[in-house]
Amino acid sequence: MKRQFTRWLGCLFLFSIAFAPSSVLANHRPNVVTVFIDDMGWSDLSCYGGTRTWTENIDALASEGIRFTNFYVNSPICSPSRVALSTGQYPQRWRISSYLAARKLNRDRGMAQWLDPQAPVLARHLQQSGYATGHFGKWHMGGQRDVGEAPLIQAYGFDRSLTNFEGLGPRVLPLKDAYNGKPPQKHDLGSADLGRGPIRWEDRSVVTAAFVEQAVEFIDQAQSDGKPFFVNVWPDDVHSPFFPPEVLRDKTDESKRALYYAVLDAMDQQLAKLFDRIRNDSSLRENTLILVMSDNGHEEGAGASDPLRGAKTWLYEGGVRSPLIVWGPGLLAEGVAGRTNNESVLCALDVNRSLYSLTQTDPPDGVSFDGQDLSSTLLGDQRESRSEPIFWRRPPDRPGTAREDNPDLAVRDGKWKFLVNYDGSDPQLYDLQADASESNNLAKQHPDVADRLRRSLMDWNATLPVDAGDPNWSGHQRVGSVPLDQFVNPIGEGADPWVTRDPNQTRYLWCLSHGNRAISIQASDRLTSMGKPNIVWTAPQSGPYSREIWAPELHHLDGHWYVYFAASDGQNRNHLTYVLKSKDQDPLGEYELFGPMATGDGQDGASPNVWAIDMTVLTHGEKRYAVWSGWDAPGTDRQYLYIAPLASPTELGGPRVRLCDNDDYRWELTEPEQSGRGLNEGPQVFQSKNKTSIVYSCGASWLPTYKLGILEFTGGDPLDPASWTKRDKPLFEGTRDVYGVGHSCFVPSLDDRQWWHVFHAKRDRNPGWRRAVYVQPMKVGRRGFPFLESPIRAGEWLDRPSGEKPQELVLPIRLFGDDAGDATWSFFGHHQLIEVGPEGLHLGRIPRDPINDYRSGEKVVLDDPCPADCVVDVMIDFQGEANARDAGVLFRCSGPAVGYDAQRGYFAGLIPKTGLVIVGKMNGSAWIELARASTQIDVTQPQALRVQMKGNQITVTHNGRQRVSLLDETYRSGSVGLRVVDTHAVFSDFTVSDAKD
């Protein structure tokens, strides 16, 4: 099938038109095709001395082009290498220093989740200058694993794309067929679950053919439209796992290396269609540049980079030196076809910068490129090298092996290559002209050279963001805005939180007590927002269920919604359980009251009826049961867990049974370190893997020692206490930072891929019931019982629940006035300190009967981000209060939580007490003032406040007069909201519009 290998010819990638040496170049902007091969070693191509397979089609390009032997990529691993070629800048600038993976792993390594679309991507500027731009092949600059909200490839300047599982948009996903009689296996690493584009499945052995087919179609269309084209064809065949076509697999011994070279052979054959389309069309042949490269060195045990040291992920030559073949018969200098350039030292950064010149495209203003224009070198007119050193930083997750350390940093400057660790240890200096295999360390013989290169290397590294490989890395970097895919606790105020999934809509339903006098059911499309208050039932002014409305729970049973809650006449000793039943299918609609439930003694449960709170529902088999916390007799104040059958959702069907004692272990006592009594309450059912458990709260709810225990159902009759086993240790308890934790519930994410734990915690360590609501991920143990770990402290950045995908808002937005829109928002503060009325949004008004209230800089924030450049207008009424404090606008706000400065972003407000307009920023825990200006505030009239953001310019206008203008670039993205600081204000006519309008 292969012709006999004839000679060791050049192979590289690129094309050129830097200086238009002919009338053809002057009149026709050249087409460009980059072929960026995944994980191919420096000496794998037969035109680079490879002997294990014959890459005849790539070799043919080399025989008609120029082969470079001192070409480098800018990282020894895929994602950052691709960023460098795409942007012309070191990838660490964009916080991409290793391969992009799942969001948690990215974050743990100090990396971004995707390439920022604001990066100077070459394709975008070519597109703007008239090129047709297409990307066909591996992307791996965002949109992989579970990162489904990354920008589509088109957002980076491509008219059309087709990728694999390492990107979004249209994609072809591989089927692994070993031809062993077993069905092919899908290999998508979660991509199929992300959506965001049509998907088709192909045998992995022909995925490159699919990319080539689309690329050729794109070239045909561009040619038909009379447009020059820029096309990426980036195959991933030679990245493991290796699955060659059956005809080639049969010729291997099934070893990793043999399979690799069979795949390389197949890839070369599949690229032939692309090469032939261009070579056989005279108009394209004379005006097209093809550049062939590898994104990094070979995978160990597969390819080869002889005689170079190292492989993929290593900073030695075998990890970063790449083949480069530049083909373009009508563009290259005369007489250079088939030649090898062994002198010029250049890198992917230079290829990027040179392509601007070759395509007669102006580089973007204000961008500092790390690459240099070496277009004349690429075209063969000169043999110039880059004048600046080439720097590298190792991937943070690739420190080396037990046998050998991977140096942290490296630099090549002329003939010298220097490698060293962050702390200056293990310096290595090699003369690559004499020692390409890096085997003779000359650091001691040339200390002046080593010191010079060390200083330049350290200076370079100091200009870049730190990642997890650096000893100075201090965990997740808290710089700038909280990423869109993360949130911060506490998400709201309140006690005894209950949230459930709506089986009829894609949303969550929160059920909460409102001021101990009403029940609110609040819908939200995300677990990290508790939704807008929506009162579905208000207690009467007097009577047995008029006060102390506690711990409501919402359940969907038999086609209706039921709310179980406890209520009294204002005397705790009279608490009983009641039920609301929805009048229709709408959980936010009207309800009918039933009860009290018969939770006492005797066969009827009412002889006498006995104190009961925290009722929930357990379904086991075909039967339902009620589980609650109750006193053992009237007036005893001794709380135990009870269970009884349900005859219907509103009626018990038998006497109560005590499940267990409440003081089996000291940690269940109200005063565990002293004398105390047992107390069990807040039972919650958890079911998974055909196992059932009851998680309960214990101890004193008013103290920091409140915690969770668990009863495991071991089988048999749920009404038999012997069927339940209590663990001898707490399931979940507080820490130094988060304490008084309890009254949990558990809910799956919208896509059912995760379980989440919802609980309340105390705001301070003093006895009392001032609380806030937290949500955090949880696990399920192998036996099907919950594994909750420890509470995560307030302010920690957490990944949003899977399936929760905020989207940038479309402007304009109007709220709290005429023609108000439907943009959703969340409130952060005590639930009694907000009210929406016909006059607008009240924030900070103290109610007549506050319940466990506290101030926290009450705020509402739009749930989704706004465009970074926008204008915010609002009217603020201080209700005649001359001593009122701050009220104003939050902007570029991210990570909002309950707390005065518990958000990152900016605030611009009015302070009547001091007659000021004030602007500042918050970092999640502290306020930093940026500017202030005196202004006249008439508290008897609503005040007009406007905030305009454009780039790093912030302008604040009060009543039509500009008061503050400043520059600050700390925060570049986020949402918009309204906020007060220890005052009451009414906001109306709140609008967010485009800064261009």
Side-chain angles (χ1 to χ4, degrees):
M1 180 169 11
K2 294 276 188 177
R3 300 189 304 272
Q4 183 177 0
F5 174 74
T6 56
R7 58 183 189 166
W8 203 74
L9 291 170
C11 132
L12 161 50
F13 85 106
L14 201 79
F15 91 103
S16 160
I17 180 175
F19 44 87
S22 69
S23 60
V24 173
L25 297 184
N27 295 327
H28 300 283
R29 301 174 72 189
N31 309 303
V32 179
V33 177
T34 72
V35 180
F36 208 37
I37 300 169
D38 204 9
D39 289 6
M40 182 179 71
W42 187 77
S43 63
D44 282 334
L45 296 173
S46 44
C47 59
Y48 272 78
T51 59
R52 288 182 174 269
T53 192
W54 186 16
T55 50
E56 57 184 305
N57 296 291
I58 295 176
D59 289 0
L61 294 184
S63 68
E64 298 174 352
I66 307 173
R67 182 173 64 91
F68 292 81
T69 60
N70 275 290
F71 170 75
Y72 292 88
V73 289
N74 296 98
S75 175
I77 203 164
C78 46
S79 296
S81 180
R82 292 160 192 272
V83 169
L85 179 61
S86 299
T87 66
Q89 296 180 324
Y90 283 109
Q92 292 84 3
R93 285 198 191 197
W94 300 100
R95 294 179 54 237
I96 297 180
S97 52
S98 187
Y99 73 101
L100 288 170
R103 66 181 71 251
K104 183 178 186 304
L105 181 56
N106 294 337
R107 191 162 297 114
D108 288 346
R109 295 175 295 169
M111 291 171 47
Q113 298 293 353
W114 54 75
L115 176 62
D116 189 333
Q118 299 303 311
V121 176
L122 172 64
R124 180 185 296 113
H125 299 289
L126 292 178
Q127 182 188 57
Q128 293 170 351
S129 72
Y131 270 76
T133 54
H135 178 91
F136 307 97
K138 181 175 178 177
W139 176 249
H140 215 169
M141 291 183 279
Q144 67 295 316
R145 313 304 194 269
D146 61 349
V147 187
E149 71 278 18
L152 298 176
I153 295 174
Q154 284 85 344
Y156 298 89
F158 290 95
D159 299 318
R160 185 172 168 186
S161 69
L162 178 69
T163 188
N164 67 349
F165 48 80
E166 307 285 13
L168 297 173
R171 45 200 189 274
V172 54
L173 301 181
L175 296 168
K176 300 185 298 183
D177 193 344
Y179 310 106
N180 56 6
K182 297 180 180 179
Q185 296 180 328
K186 293 182 176 180
H187 182 74
D188 67 308
L189 302 182
S191 179
D193 297 328
L194 299 181
R196 308 282 309 279
I199 291 171
R200 77 175 195 259
W201 295 88
E202 295 279 3
D203 191 277
R204 179 157 172 75
S205 66
V206 296
V207 168
T208 290
F211 295 147
V212 167
E213 179 182 11
Q214 291 288 304
V216 169
E217 289 181 7
F218 183 81
I219 290 170
D220 292 343
Q221 186 62 52
Q223 190 177 32
S224 175
D225 294 341
K227 297 182 71 173
F229 56 80
F230 172 76
V231 172
N232 288 338
V233 179
W234 292 5
D236 77 324
D237 309 55
V238 292
H239 187 297
S240 60
F242 307 121
F243 282 83
E246 184 175 14
V247 64
L248 295 178
R249 188 182 193 101
D250 288 346
K251 298 179 180 179
T252 73
D253 59 6
E254 298 282 337
S255 66
K256 179 178 180 179
R257 176 162 279 117
L259 291 173
Y260 167 83
Y261 282 108
V263 168
L264 181 62
D265 185 348
M267 181 199 71
D268 178 71
Q269 295 180 49
Q270 291 170 45
L271 288 171
K273 180 178 180 180
L274 171 68
F275 300 155
D276 289 346
R277 171 67 180 89
I278 296 170
R279 295 172 74 195
N280 297 335
D281 184 319
S282 59
S283 62
L284 296 182
R285 178 182 176 87
E286 295 304 309
N287 197 40
T288 300
L289 197 67
I290 300 178
L291 310 169
V292 181
M293 303 162 275
S294 176
D295 68 342
N296 48 247
H298 66 282
E299 181 177 325
E300 293 184 89
S305 297
D306 301 331
L308 307 178
R309 177 181 180 183
K312 175 182 179 179
T313 77
W314 293 83
L315 294 189
Y316 296 112
E317 292 290 283
V320 293
R321 198 187 291 204
S322 162
L324 170 61
I325 298 167
V326 179
W327 178 93
L331 302 172
L332 299 183
E334 186 176 352
V336 299
R339 291 188 179 179
T340 299
N341 182 330
N342 294 315
E343 293 80 31
S344 300
V345 177
L346 68 165
C347 67
L349 300 172
D350 306 317
V351 169
N352 175 283
R353 178 59 186 86
S354 301
L355 287 177
Y356 282 96
S357 298
L358 292 170
T359 58
Q360 304 171 28
T361 301
D362 292 332
D365 294 335
V367 174
S368 177
F369 287 100
D370 296 315
Q372 298 178 351
D373 183 1
L374 296 178
S375 51
S376 61
T377 297
L378 292 174
L379 295 182
D381 289 284
Q382 298 182 22
R383 295 203 169 197
E384 182 184 5
S385 296
R386 66 179 275 128
S387 59
E388 295 294 323
I390 306 172
F391 298 104
W392 292 273
R393 179 200 285 175
R394 72 163 173 83
D397 50 341
R398 294 296 188 268
T401 67
R403 299 189 310 273
E404 185 176 15
D405 178 54
N406 189 7
D408 295 329
L409 302 167
V411 56
R412 176 162 184 180
D413 188 10
K415 70 176 184 176
W416 296 109
K417 173 86 170 285
F418 179 74
L419 307 97
V420 71
N421 290 325
Y422 289 116
D423 61 3
S425 63
D426 193 20
Q428 302 171 57
L429 180 68
Y430 301 104
D431 178 354
L432 294 180
Q433 291 181 357
D435 181 22
S437 61
E438 297 171 289
S439 57
N440 185 20
N441 185 357
L442 301 176
K444 292 182 179 180
Q445 289 89 328
H446 298 278
D448 54 336
V449 176
D451 186 61
R452 174 178 62 82
L453 294 178
R454 180 191 60 78
R455 282 186 279 106
S456 67
L457 187 53
M458 295 300 179
D459 289 346
W460 168 78
N461 189 56
T463 67
L464 302 172
V466 177
D467 63 28
D470 194 306
N472 293 322
W473 169 254
S474 58
H476 306 322
Q477 297 291 289
R478 297 295 182 257
V479 178
S481 302
V482 176
L484 186 59
D485 60 346
Q486 292 188 291
F487 74 99
V488 171
N489 276 314
I491 64 164
E493 178 273 339
D496 308 335
W498 173 265
V499 61
T500 187
R501 286 263 303 276
D502 187 341
N504 301 313
Q505 294 189 43
T506 305
R507 62 180 180 178
Y508 295 97
L509 297 169
W510 291 83
C511 187
L512 304 163
S513 175
H514 192 88
N516 276 3
R517 295 295 310 282
I519 292 174
S520 178
I521 298 178
Q522 303 168 193
S524 176
D525 65 351
R526 61 203 69 187
L527 185 59
T528 52
S529 167
M530 296 175 69
K532 301 176 184 177
N534 177 68
I535 305 299
V536 298
W537 181 81
T538 301
Q541 288 299 312
S542 61
Y545 48 87
S546 60
R547 298 287 189 277
E548 297 180 326
I549 310 302
W550 289 356
E553 289 193 11
L554 179 67
H555 294 264
H556 189 255
L557 306 170
D558 303 331
H560 284 269
W561 292 95
Y562 294 86
V563 179
Y564 296 84
F565 66 98
S568 76
D569 57 1
Q571 301 295 318
N572 176 42
R573 64 177 180 271
N574 294 325
H575 260 114
L576 292 171
T577 293
Y578 296 82
V579 188
L580 298 176
K581 178 182 178 181
S582 65
K583 292 186 176 181
D584 54 30
Q585 287 282 339
D586 183 6
L588 307 181
E590 297 183 22
Y591 283 78
E592 180 182 4
L593 179 69
F594 292 83
M597 301 284 271
T599 54
D601 293 327
Q603 288 298 313
D604 62 356
S607 302
N609 209 350
V610 178
W611 189 95
I613 64 170
D614 301 344
M615 183 170 286
T616 193
V617 176
L618 163 64
T619 300
H620 179 69
E622 300 296 323
K623 297 180 180 180
R624 291 194 185 115
Y625 304 85
V627 184
W628 70 93
S629 177
W631 289 352
D632 57 343
T636 66
D637 197 21
R638 294 191 295 262
Q639 284 180 246
Y640 297 87
L641 299 181
Y642 289 92
I643 188 171
L646 277 170
S648 74
T650 61
E651 182 182 5
L652 297 184
R656 66 177 184 168
V657 175
R658 187 194 300 177
L659 282 175
C660 58
D661 287 334
N662 62 9
D663 58 359
D664 292 308
Y665 303 103
R666 177 171 290 277
W667 50 264
E668 296 181 278
L669 304 182
T670 56
E671 303 279 352
E673 302 302 326
Q674 306 171 23
S675 60
R677 56 188 172 87
L679 192 157
N680 290 176
E681 62 184 6
Q684 295 295 325
V685 175
F686 183 80
Q687 294 176 314
S688 180
K689 300 180 181 180
N690 297 317
K691 294 290 186 178
T692 296
S693 56
I694 293 176
V695 176
Y696 64 94
S697 302
C698 59
S701 61
W702 57 92
L703 295 179
T705 52
Y706 201 49
K707 60 182 68 70
L708 299 180
I710 185 171
L711 294 172
E712 298 177 0
F713 182 62
T714 56
D717 184 358
L719 296 173
D720 181 0
S723 298
W724 298 88
T725 299
K726 182 184 292 186
R727 285 194 195 169
D728 61 357
K729 291 182 175 59
L731 178 67
F732 187 71
E733 56 187 332
T735 64
R736 182 186 64 180
D737 300 313
V738 186
Y739 38 81
V741 296
H743 212 106
S744 300
C745 66
F746 312 101
V747 65
S749 59
L750 288 176
D751 60 4
D752 292 312
R753 296 175 62 183
Q754 299 172 329
W755 275 101
W756 283 76
H757 178 202
V758 183
F759 60 95
H760 70 224
K762 284 175 57 61
R763 292 289 291 174
D764 56 66
R765 289 188 172 274
N766 298 321
W769 291 275
R770 303 196 308 167
R771 299 165 173 147
V773 177
Y774 290 66
V775 300
Q776 67 182 55
M778 56 175 282
K779 299 177 182 177
V780 179
R782 57 182 178 81
R783 296 190 299 134
F785 299 119
F787 179 61
L788 305 182
E789 300 184 295
S790 296
I792 299 172
R793 64 184 177 87
E796 187 75 18
W797 297 6
L798 300 176
D799 291 341
R800 289 183 182 272
S802 58
E804 189 172 303
K805 299 177 180 178
Q807 301 292 327
E808 186 174 275
L809 291 165
V810 177
L811 304 182
I813 293 166
R814 296 180 178 85
L815 291 171
F816 313 125
D818 296 335
D819 301 321
D822 57 358
T824 61
W825 47 266
S826 295
F827 171 63
F828 301 89
H830 191 277
H831 69 278
Q832 291 181 281
L833 303 185
I834 180 175
E835 181 181 348
V836 179
E839 66 276 21
L841 169 72
H842 288 263
L843 284 181
R845 181 164 65 183
I846 305 298
R848 186 189 327 178
D849 299 311
I851 303 295
N852 301 316
D853 65 316
Y854 55 86
R855 300 308 299 261
S856 59
E858 295 78 38
K859 54 185 172 275
V860 298
V861 180
L862 298 178
D863 287 334
D864 291 303
C866 294
D869 294 344
C870 63
V871 179
V872 183
D873 288 283
V874 69
M875 300 300 294
I876 307 175
D877 189 345
F878 290 96
Q879 303 285 286
E881 180 53 65
N883 289 319
R885 288 197 54 190
D886 315 39
V889 173
L890 291 163
F891 52 102
R892 291 187 181 171
C893 173
S894 63
V898 176
Y900 281 99
D901 299 315
Q903 59 270 331
R904 300 177 79 84
Y906 301 101
F907 174 74
L910 302 175
I911 309 178
K913 184 176 181 178
T914 54
L916 291 174
V917 171
I918 192 165
V919 180
K921 58 186 176 182
M922 299 137 293
N923 63 6
S925 60
W927 163 264
I928 303 169
E929 183 176 317
L930 296 175
R932 61 169 58 193
S934 297
T935 192
Q936 187 68 36
I937 303 174
D938 182 357
V939 296
T940 67
Q941 300 293 325
Q943 305 294 297
L945 183 66
R946 163 174 282 201
V947 178
Q948 182 170 359
M949 296 151 280
K950 191 166 186 180
N952 60 357
Q953 179 82 42
I954 299 171
T955 305
V956 181
T957 303
H958 174 221
N959 287 343
R961 297 186 63 183
Q962 180 177 309
R963 295 299 186 186
V964 174
S965 181
L966 61 89
L967 299 175
D968 191 273
E969 55 185 17
T970 305
Y971 302 110
R972 300 181 180 180
S973 62
S975 192
V976 170
L978 303 169
R979 174 185 186 236
V980 297
V981 179
D982 293 345
T983 200
H984 169 219
V986 182
F987 298 87
S988 61
D989 298 325
F990 176 52
T991 65
V992 186
S993 54
D994 196 305
K996 300 176 183 177
D997 295 342

